[in-house]
Amino acid sequence: MDKFRMIFQFFQSNQESFMNGICGIMALASTQMYSAFDFNCPCLPHYNLAYGLGILLVPPFILFLLGFVLNNNISMLAEEWRRPQGQRGKDPAVLRYMFCSMAQRAMIAPAVWVSVTLLDGKCITCAFCTSVPVETLGNASHPHLSQGEIQQVLARIPCKDIYNGQQLIANEVAVRYLRCISQALGWCFVLLMTTLAFLVRSLRPCFSQAAFLKSRYWSHYIDIERKLFDETCAEHARSFAKVCIQQFFEGMSTDLVAARCHLPRKTPADAGEAAEKLLGITDQGTMNMALKSWHRCKPPLHLHPPVLPAGNGWAGEGKPLKHPSASQRETAAYYSWV
């Protein structure tokens, strides 16, 4: 249990680790789905190709879309792409980095499905059984069979129980021939995907390291900013609800006093604790306006140090402050950290 807890905590450490864990789970699920799938070739000349290629290509496409759906960054990418310009510009390099990162992770499960399918060989055997070279592997001079009848006999190669063309070509020979071709394609596909992953992961930072780091940093910043905004909104909603409920019960105090029920008096500190977290936003219209303003014109990514006015000029103009207060020290430390 401790190992599973450590793995779970690692997946929750950041967004990339979480999505890597999701992609790994989807890859394992794809292999389990294929092993549990009951493959039944129709063994008909006009349907074998569609069925075999459909099983080979349609589930990977579904898994690819599912990888995008399960990725939390897809909504963040769409929001960043469609939002108005406002006070903050949109960097196309950051959007491309986010999309490529999601696409790479979403391709893991489809690649595993295609690899397992090709290495197993059933789909290729079903799809291309009518293309077996009978002249090379079998008896092409078999009498009393037209070209259409030969195609019908070859289409039954994946169905050993109904195959009746042993005199034309042996079922084991045709299946082994097609399975060898499928496995060769499967290993070539695995080698190609591994090579592409190596090139993308290792060579891309070598050519544009500064641009890569910049895109990665601001991609992480957008994710963290969104989480902090959601947490701030949730905290404000909790404080807003707490104040509304307190005001409701205070409004009912007249009836309770009439019924000779004496309520305990709340201290001013407790009463103002939730009101402080409202930050001056105390009605629904103002909150809606703040949310629309955040979407339409996000603040620019430029932090200004606090200024202290003194009289008609600026505090400490040309002179350092001798006795900074505790709050000023905290603010200075905060901006130094950022």
Side-chain angles (χ1 to χ4, degrees):
M1 290 300 295
D2 294 337
K3 293 182 179 180
F4 286 107
R5 189 180 297 107
M6 292 175 59
I7 295 174
F8 186 72
Q9 290 176 355
F10 172 75
F11 286 157
Q12 285 188 326
S13 60
N14 54 57
Q15 184 69 15
E16 287 192 357
S17 301
F18 176 75
M19 291 314 306
N20 290 336
I22 292 294
C23 293
I25 293 174
M26 288 185 59
L28 293 176
S30 65
T31 57
Q32 293 296 325
M33 288 171 57
Y34 183 80
S35 61
F37 178 71
D38 189 11
F39 188 89
N40 292 314
C41 186
C43 296
L44 296 173
H46 303 290
Y47 297 97
N48 285 6
L49 182 63
Y51 183 82
L53 294 183
I55 297 300
L56 179 64
L57 300 177
V58 173
F61 180 72
I62 297 175
L63 291 172
F64 181 73
L65 295 181
L66 188 61
F68 272 99
V69 171
L70 294 179
N71 199 318
N72 296 331
N73 290 340
I74 186 64
S75 59
M76 182 176 64
L77 174 62
E79 179 183 351
E80 184 68 15
W81 178 50
R82 293 296 300 171
R83 72 172 176 84
Q85 189 76 12
Q87 299 181 11
R88 182 189 302 181
K90 292 184 287 186
D91 192 352
V94 178
L95 300 179
R96 286 195 301 268
Y97 172 83
M98 295 169 61
F99 178 79
C100 293
S101 179
M102 287 187 293
Q104 291 172 15
R105 291 181 173 88
M107 283 293 295
I108 295 177
V112 171
W113 177 277
V114 174
S115 302
V116 172
T117 305
L118 290 177
L119 293 176
D120 185 58
K122 293 180 182 178
C123 290
I124 298 299
T125 302
C126 179
F128 299 100
C129 57
T130 56
S131 302
V132 174
V134 181
E135 299 83 1
T136 306
L137 302 177
N139 183 15
S141 60
H142 190 273
H144 311 299
L145 288 178
S146 63
Q147 189 65 25
E149 292 175 343
I150 292 177
Q151 292 294 318
Q152 290 182 353
V153 172
L154 294 178
R156 299 174 181 175
I157 289 177
C159 307
K160 186 182 294 187
D161 52 345
I162 62 174
Y163 181 69
N164 56 355
Q166 292 289 343
Q167 297 178 354
L168 180 65
I169 182 174
N171 181 270
E172 293 80 5
V173 174
V175 170
R176 181 168 297 184
Y177 171 78
L178 294 173
R179 183 166 294 177
C180 289
I181 294 177
S182 178
Q183 290 178 351
L185 293 175
W187 285 117
C188 291
F189 180 79
V190 172
L191 179 62
L192 177 62
M193 290 292 103
T194 306
T195 305
L196 289 178
F198 170 77
L199 293 177
V200 169
R201 300 291 288 184
S202 61
L203 298 183
R204 182 179 62 177
C206 297
F207 292 99
S208 58
Q209 180 68 14
F212 175 76
L213 290 176
K214 183 189 71 172
S215 302
R216 184 174 183 177
Y217 174 84
W218 289 116
S219 173
H220 288 212
Y221 173 83
I222 293 173
D223 180 42
I224 294 173
E225 184 187 52
R226 186 185 185 188
K227 290 180 180 178
L228 290 177
F229 184 77
D230 292 341
E231 292 175 2
T232 305
C233 289
E235 184 179 359
H236 183 277
R238 182 177 290 106
S239 302
F240 192 84
K242 185 176 181 180
V243 173
C244 287
I245 293 173
Q246 287 177 352
Q247 291 181 355
F248 169 75
F249 281 101
E250 288 174 0
M252 296 293 295
S253 62
T254 304
D255 298 336
L256 294 175
V257 170
R260 296 182 180 180
C261 295
H262 299 284
L263 294 177
R265 302 297 298 174
K266 185 177 291 292
T267 61
D270 295 336
E273 181 181 355
E276 270 185 21
K277 297 181 181 179
L278 295 178
L279 302 176
I281 303 176
T282 57
D283 61 279
Q284 183 179 4
T286 307
M287 189 63 199
N288 292 337
M289 184 176 63
L291 295 175
K292 292 179 182 178
S293 177
W294 174 263
H295 172 69
R296 293 177 180 175
C297 50
K298 289 186 177 181
L301 299 178
H302 179 68
L303 301 180
H304 300 279
V307 292
L308 300 175
N312 295 328
W314 298 101
E317 185 175 359
K319 300 179 181 180
L321 293 176
K322 295 182 179 179
H323 302 286
S325 60
S327 60
Q328 292 170 359
R329 291 196 188 96
E330 292 176 359
T331 303
Y334 170 79
Y335 282 104
S336 175
W337 177 78
V338 172

